Structure formats: structure tokens, C-alpha cells
Amino acid sequence: DATASEICTTGFLSKALPIYWLKFQTELLRLAREGPAFFWARERDQDQEVATILKEPVHVLPYAQVARLARAVGILDEAELQSLLIFLHDTGCVIFFDEAGLREHVVLDPHWLAEAAANIFNCPRVVQGCVAAA
């Protein structure tokens, strides 16, 4: 259809992206799935340490952890990391807002955040307007 064709030829999907952006996205998803302790221990190839660390998936990471991963895959420029996170946000891969008070965390699982918000809004006390009692 015409809309899909326009998006692919003129939108963000038409731009060539560096391959290391894809590596960053892949590693970021793995970091979320394994948890920081397991991920970074495995990155150091410390087999004894890795064997004692449980995989603990995470849904939100501090920006500092995300920046550390970026450096590990070769993204050294802060502005490029910001652009990459905004791109991943725009494509629905992560939730990231480059605003004061929000930029210090990156939500790695947008579905988890949507479910959490739905649970809040579906809470009987919220639905009945008794938020002060909650």
C-alpha cells in the first residue's frame, strides 16, 4: 500500500543504520534477559563467577548501565547514544525520554511497562476514585 511504501522510502526505515547499532540492540535485549550481574560476569569470561550468579531478567536499567554497554560495542559518543536510544524508542524497542528526571532510566520491555500501567488503572480503588485511600 502507498503508506507502507512511503514509510520505507522516506521515513526512518529508509535510512541506513550502522551495524553496531544492531549489535547494541541485540546485546541490550540479552542484558535485559540475563540481568546485569550475569551479563557482565559472562562478558569477563569468569566461568566460576558466572556459575554462581543467577540470571535475573530486568525491565528497567539505569542509564549508566546502558552507556556501559554502548561503550562495550563501540559507541563512544554520548550524542550518538542519545540518537540511538531515541531511534529505539521511536521503533518501540525501548522506552526512553531525553528529559530531566526521565533520562536516567531506560525501560527495556515496553510491554512490561504497559502491563504495569494497566494494573494501576484497573485497580478497583483507582477505578472507584479512591486514590487517596491507596
Side-chain angles (χ1 to χ4, degrees):
D1 103 324
T3 304
S5 177
E6 184 177 336
I7 290 170
C8 290
T9 57
T10 61
F12 64 85
L13 294 177
S14 68
K15 296 181 174 104
L17 300 173
I19 193 72
Y20 57 87
W21 278 28
L22 179 60
K23 179 168 177 53
F24 174 82
Q25 180 183 7
T26 302
E27 293 299 301
L28 188 61
L29 293 173
R30 192 166 60 82
L31 175 56
R33 201 172 45 249
E34 295 176 354
F38 186 89
F39 180 88
W40 292 114
R42 197 168 55 73
E43 289 294 307
R44 290 187 305 264
D45 289 328
Q46 296 177 356
D47 294 329
Q48 290 178 339
E49 185 178 339
V50 172
T52 62
I53 298 173
L54 295 176
K55 287 185 180 181
E56 295 184 32
V58 294
H59 303 291
V60 180
L61 277 179
Y63 183 84
Q65 282 280 325
V66 174
R68 178 180 177 189
L69 176 62
R71 288 188 302 275
V73 300
I75 301 170
L76 305 177
D77 182 49
E78 187 72 21
E80 182 178 13
L81 176 57
Q82 296 283 322
S83 295
L84 173 53
L85 289 172
I86 290 167
F87 172 78
L88 292 175
H89 174 90
D90 289 347
T91 56
C93 297
V94 301
I95 304 292
F96 173 73
F97 295 103
D98 188 17
E99 298 177 22
L102 298 175
R103 74 174 54 96
E104 293 306 314
H105 293 89
V106 179
V107 177
L108 305 175
D109 186 353
H111 179 75
W112 168 83
L113 183 60
E115 287 289 320
N119 287 331
I120 292 169
F121 294 125
N122 289 326
C123 174
R125 288 186 276 182
V126 172
V127 171
Q128 295 168 1
C130 301
V131 177

